[in-house]
């Protein structure tokens, strides 16, 4: 994955670039809005990581300009500003995802990977991971030939996990995409939902598909 | 600026002046009109009298010739308060009458004239003004009849004098009244100015004086006072937040720092370093959460979150939050029930209201279960309700735990306050504060009630108007 990080805080930018390179991605840096815009126009990137407040040209304008030129590279906005309305503004300006500072790298990585993959588009009607099968049209879930009955929310949870099979999804990503809540519940309610789902899809099978990634989130994958 | 200068510059005084001028002009116009009309009326009466006399005398002349005319004129001239009479020959020689002297040439022009004259029977022989008519008799004799104008002039003078006086009185009273009214108003405005200056100097508790008359100034003062109240509340809130941040964030920060130092000093192998770092991250995550909650409260309290409000169904929120927390409650042996039978329309920030309700449910799960809840079927229960009650929508969370003693309830809503029994459990102490701030942002309130046993927390919101009419 090729990334462009537009962030004026040199330390933060270097840290991010280093962290992304460590997990095998290519990361370029730009330290102000104009430079970032020029690079984004030039290079072929899978994802842009754009700080909201930048010298010369602010992050939302960078994204707006790119979109007006027909460049649809997914962009993730980093912002130190508040949450609810700021997020809405960011997404309205053409951003694809939004992460308030301070963030954890695992959260950023998970979101970036999801954004990069989204371009390919995984919009099949049936998702398959190992012997687990989810039919998005008939809302049927089968594993090893027998049907698993899920509650509507459990179905959506599994659907989201399987859509991003092999990728780590974080708790906040689940909360945002499955529940459409953008706040942080004080208790980790998601964990309980996951363990319920896990008991339905993995219980009784020798091979577990739904895994917890410590300090990051969850991943559904066929580890064979 | 002198006191008088200030007075002269005030709006009230300027207005007084304008009114005064308009009123004085109007009064003057009335007086002039009145005087002119009176004068006209008197003149008309005089001409009628004179005309009648001339007709009468001409008739006497026609019947009895000049002798009879002279006789009659003589007789009439002697009556007290009589008109003016003069009969002359063609050459201007006086035959009869009471006119002593006349301006020259008067007799030569028949018709009406205003002229000065002297009366024969007047001992002083003073000159008077009169309105006269000269009439040519057929044989060349001339007849003059007139009336003294003194009466008319006197009345005119009286009216004019009265007019001048009343105008003067109007102006004096108007200016005095204007000064009086303006000074009263100015005094109150000055008092307001003084108070605002004091408030600007830092006395936030200061309030504008209200006279209690319910006039515009009172209304202004009342509104400004309400504004000051709000500002003071916000300032106090900010101060409190910064004090609390200083106090409650420093503690975990100190803990975090200590842990790092300890790791540097004591850790011997990688696994110990790792454990120390992991706990550091955990601690900093908790700090971030607290910080976010504080920011959220501040935003809700300052009313910034007012943009992006929409109309939605609170019953749906109750079901959504209930569904989110149900597995967690279940895991703790608590049964979570949602009672939201009908639509409960509210206007607001969906996200914030969801979060507020989530906080209440979270609290209920944390503190609402009686210790060592019997797992014998009669387990603990939490009821989440969304119901309409008149023009309010109530979002209520009721648990069966220990509840909060009445004395502590108002304190429980304050930031960072964690009551004795909850200190041992995790949490930032901001959940209820946020719920309360969100309720207030939406024109509602958060109430803590007794659930016999347990606690019932209720967010009361105004029902959205447009949908309320439909449902």
């Amino acid at each position: 994955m090729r990334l462009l990080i537009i962030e004026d805080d040199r330390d933060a930018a270097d840290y991010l670039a280093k962290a992304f390179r460590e997990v095998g991605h290519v990361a370029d840096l730009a330290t102000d809005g104009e430079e970032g815009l020029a690079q984004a126009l030039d290079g072929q990137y899978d994802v842009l990581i754009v700080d909201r407040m930048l010298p010369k040209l602010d992050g939302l304008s960078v994204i707006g300009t790119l979109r007006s030129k027909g460049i649809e590279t997914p962009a993730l906005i980093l912002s130190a500003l508040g949450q609810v309305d700021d997020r809405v503004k960011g997404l309205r300006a053409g951003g694809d995802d939004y992460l308030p500072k301070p963030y954890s790298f695992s959260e950023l990585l998970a979101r970036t990977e999801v954004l990069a993959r989204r371009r390919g588009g995984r919009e099949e009607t049936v998702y398959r991971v190992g012997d687990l099968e989810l039919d998005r049209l008939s809302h049927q879930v089968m594993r090893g030939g027998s049907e698993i009955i899920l509650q509507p929310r459990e179905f959506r949870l599994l659907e989201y996990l399987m859509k991003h099979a092999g990728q780590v999804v974080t708790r906040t990503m689940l909360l945002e995409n499955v529940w459409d809540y953008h706040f942080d519940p004080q208790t980790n309610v998601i964990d309980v939902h996951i363990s319920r789902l896990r008991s339905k899809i993995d219980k009784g099978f020798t091979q577990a598909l739904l895994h917890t990634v410590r300090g990051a989130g969850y991943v559904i994958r066929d580890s064979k | 600026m002198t006191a008088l200068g200030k007075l002269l510059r005030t709006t009230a005084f300027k207005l007084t002046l304008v009114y005064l001028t308009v009123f004085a002009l109007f009064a003057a116009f009335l007086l002039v009109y009145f005087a002119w009309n009176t004068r006209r009326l008197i003149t008309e009466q005089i001409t009628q009298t004179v005309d009648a006399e001339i007709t009468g005398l001409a008739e006497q002349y026609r019947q009895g010739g000049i002798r009879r005319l002279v006789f009659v004129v003589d007789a009439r001239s002697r009556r007290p308060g009589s008109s003016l009479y003069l009969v002359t020959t063609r050459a201007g020689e006086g035959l009869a009458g009471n006119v002593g002297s006349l301006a020259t040439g008067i007799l030569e022009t028949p018709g009406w004239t205003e002229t000065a004259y002297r009366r024969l029977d007047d001992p002083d022989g003073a000159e008077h003004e009169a309105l006269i008519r000269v009439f040519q008799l057929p044989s060349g004799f001339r007849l003059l009849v007139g009336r003294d104008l003194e009466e008319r002039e006197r009345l005119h003078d009286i009216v004019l004098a009265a007019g001048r006086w009343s105008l003067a009185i109007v102006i004096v009273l108007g200016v005095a009244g204007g000064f009086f009214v303006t000074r009263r108003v100015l005094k109150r405005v000055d008092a307001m100015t003084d108070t605002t200056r004091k408030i600007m100097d830092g006395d936030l508790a200061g309030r504008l004086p209200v006279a209690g008359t319910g006039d515009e100034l009172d209304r202004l003062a009342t509104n400004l006072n309400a504004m000051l109240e709000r500002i003071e509340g916000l300032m106090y809130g900010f101060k409190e937040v910064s004090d609390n941040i200083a106090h409650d964030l420093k503690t975990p920060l100190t803990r975090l720092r200590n842990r790092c130092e300890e790791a540097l000093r004591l850790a011997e192998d990688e696994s110990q370093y790792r454990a120390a770092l992991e706990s550091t991250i955990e601690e900093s995550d908790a700090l971030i959460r607290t910080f976010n909650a504080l920011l959220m409260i501040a935003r809700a309290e300052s009313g910034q979150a007012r943009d992006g409000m929409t109309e939605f169904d609170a019953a749906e929120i109750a079901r959504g939050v209930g569904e989110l927390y149900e597995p967690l409650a279940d895991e703790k042996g608590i049964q979570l029930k949602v009672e939201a039978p009908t639509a409960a329309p509210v206007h607001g920030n969906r996200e914030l209201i969801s979060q507020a309700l989530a906080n209440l449910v979270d609290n209920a799960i944390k503190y609402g279960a009686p210790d060592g809840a019997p797992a014998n079927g009669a387990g603990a229960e939490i009821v989440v309700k969304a119901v309409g009650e008149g023009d309010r929508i109530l979002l209520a969370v009721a648990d069966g735990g220990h509840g909060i003693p009445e004395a502590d309830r108002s304190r429980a809503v304050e930031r960072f306050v964690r009551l004795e029994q909850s200190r041992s459990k995790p949490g930032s102490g901001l959940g209820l504060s946020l719920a309360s701030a969100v309720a207030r942002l939406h024109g509602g309130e958060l109430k803590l009630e007794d659930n016999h046993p347990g606690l019932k927390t209720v967010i009361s919101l105004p029902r959205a108007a447009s949908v309320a009419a439909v449902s």
Side-chain angles (χ1 to χ4, degrees), chain B residues 308-319:
Chain B
M309 284 199 175
T310 51
E311 210 159 275
F312 56 89
D313 184 4
E316 218 173 86
I317 298 285
R319 284 191 288 269

Side-chain angles (χ1 to χ4, degrees), chain B residues 108-138:
Chain B
E108 275 70 50
T109 48
W112 292 99
T113 321
E114 259 185 49
T115 181
Y117 79 102
R118 278 201 179 82
R119 232 182 140 103
L120 273 181
D121 48 6
D122 187 350
D124 307 337
E127 213 165 65
H128 293 280
E129 281 288 314
L131 181 62
I132 54 154
R133 185 179 165 191
V134 178
F135 187 74
Q136 187 83 47
L137 291 168

